[in-house]
Structures are given as C-alpha cells and as structure tokens.
Amino acid sequence: MVPSSRPTKTITNIAALVLLTSLALPLTGQEEQVPPETLNGHLGAITAVNYTPSGELIVTSSSDTTVRLWQASSGEELRVLQGH
C-alpha cells in the first residue's frame, strides 16, 4: 500500500496563506529576508484567500463561517464577519 502523498486540505490552506502573506511584503531590494507572518484566527479550514486590488488588505474565508480582513503588511486582523 502506497501512503498518500496528498497533504490534508487544512495544511495546504495554511501553507498557501503563509505564502500569500509573504508575498505582501514590499520588495525593497534589501538582502535581508523577512520571515512570513502566519495569520491566526480561523477555527476551520481556509476556503479562500484574496488580496484587495491595492494589495494592502487580505481577505480570507473559512469553513467556520467567518470572513476575516487582514492588514497585509502587518498581519493584523482588522475585522471578522460572521455567518458567511
């Protein structure tokens, strides 16, 4: 029996969220690397991640029926919309 090479959806979603957050960091040409932020708050699996057109905000939705708005540069949670 071959073990499944497919990671769980939750782990994949968290990794995607960390990656997207790291992409929000400004490109300054400096060689110093800034580690990506982890956005903590959702209690369920992440179902969608999007940036606003300006790139200043990240919007996430989850199976916990919340939509969360985050400051892309700091990872600060700005608002929680419940029942979505």
Side-chain angles (χ1 to χ4, degrees):
M1 180 177 193
V2 176
S4 174
S5 62
R6 185 176 154 199
T8 65
K9 189 172 187 176
T10 300
I11 292 173
T12 302
N13 287 334
I14 290 171
L17 188 56
V18 169
L19 174 63
L20 286 172
T21 303
S22 68
L23 294 175
L25 299 172
L27 298 175
T28 61
Q30 298 174 354
E31 292 186 26
E32 182 179 332
Q33 294 284 329
V34 177
E37 295 282 333
T38 300
L39 305 176
N40 294 308
H42 285 294
L43 301 177
I46 309 256
T47 57
V49 178
N50 283 298
Y51 278 95
T52 58
S54 67
E56 294 178 11
L57 303 174
I58 300 170
V59 180
T60 59
S61 65
S62 170
S63 63
D64 65 7
T65 70
T66 64
V67 172
R68 294 175 189 259
L69 184 64
W70 312 85
Q71 182 69 43
S73 61
S74 67
E76 176 186 0
E77 183 181 276
L78 301 174
R79 183 161 304 194
V80 178
L81 305 170
Q82 300 209 4
H84 295 278

